[in-house]
Amino acid sequence: IARSNPDVQMFIWFILKDDFSTPLSWQSGLYDLNWTPKPALAAFSPLAAALDARNAILTVKSGTTPVVMVSALELKAHDTLGALVGINYTISDNGHFLGNAIASAPLGSDGWLSFRPEVVAAKGHRYSLGITATDINGVTVTRTIEIVGT
């Protein structure tokens, strides 16, 4: 319902686990008091994963090398604007390992890194980038970015 309403710009699940510690007794969690998954978790998880900007799914035109944007907000607390961040990544195509590569990118003011991986998208192929970004302080973030060629 929220997705079909153009006025909804963001949807946040308010509570992860049911909570009876307040007079309002929240029972809208995805888990009950004992951390047992509730039925809503099975429906929520795949939808949330598809919208998680930290582990994005990019659809790109075949024959192109996409610009990949990586959320690295964890680094922003340790680094200055424009600090160079090392990026190590693996590439697989439909589950078949293709190789490793390295890159670097400056940390943006928004806490994101942008780089072009060494992959040219082919129609019908689904590439997975396993990314580890490391700053000069040794702080790392790991992400998985999917690239789908159309």
Side-chain angles (χ1 to χ4, degrees):
I1 293 169
R3 185 185 311 199
S4 65
N5 184 332
D7 295 325
V8 175
Q9 296 178 0
M10 181 184 298
F11 183 87
I12 299 171
W13 197 276
F14 181 65
I15 192 164
L16 183 63
K17 180 173 131 335
D18 289 349
D19 182 5
F20 294 102
S21 65
T22 67
L24 297 176
S25 298
W26 295 99
Q27 298 180 43
S28 60
L30 297 172
Y31 296 89
D32 68 15
L33 286 173
N34 298 316
W35 287 101
T36 302
K38 293 169 66 175
L41 181 64
F44 181 82
S45 295
L47 294 172
L51 300 172
D52 186 351
R54 294 173 302 165
N55 297 305
I57 300 173
L58 306 174
T59 302
V60 298
K61 184 177 177 182
S62 64
T64 63
T65 299
V67 173
V68 172
M69 295 185 64
V70 179
S71 170
L73 289 170
E74 300 90 331
L75 303 182
K76 191 175 177 186
H78 303 276
D79 297 294
T80 59
L81 172 65
L84 200 57
V85 176
I87 301 169
N88 293 306
Y89 62 98
T90 60
I91 307 171
S92 62
D93 178 4
N94 292 322
H96 296 94
F97 179 75
L98 297 179
N100 297 309
I102 58 171
S104 62
L107 183 63
S109 61
D110 57 0
W112 288 70
L113 304 167
S114 297
F115 75 103
R116 287 189 186 272
E118 296 178 16
V119 62
V120 177
K123 186 175 183 175
H125 289 249
R126 186 177 192 97
Y127 304 92
S128 178
L129 302 180
I131 298 169
T132 301
T134 308
D135 71 3
I136 195 167
N137 303 301
V139 179
T140 65
V141 295
T142 57
R143 303 286 185 252
T144 301
I145 307 293
E146 301 289 329
I147 301 170
V148 180
T150 60

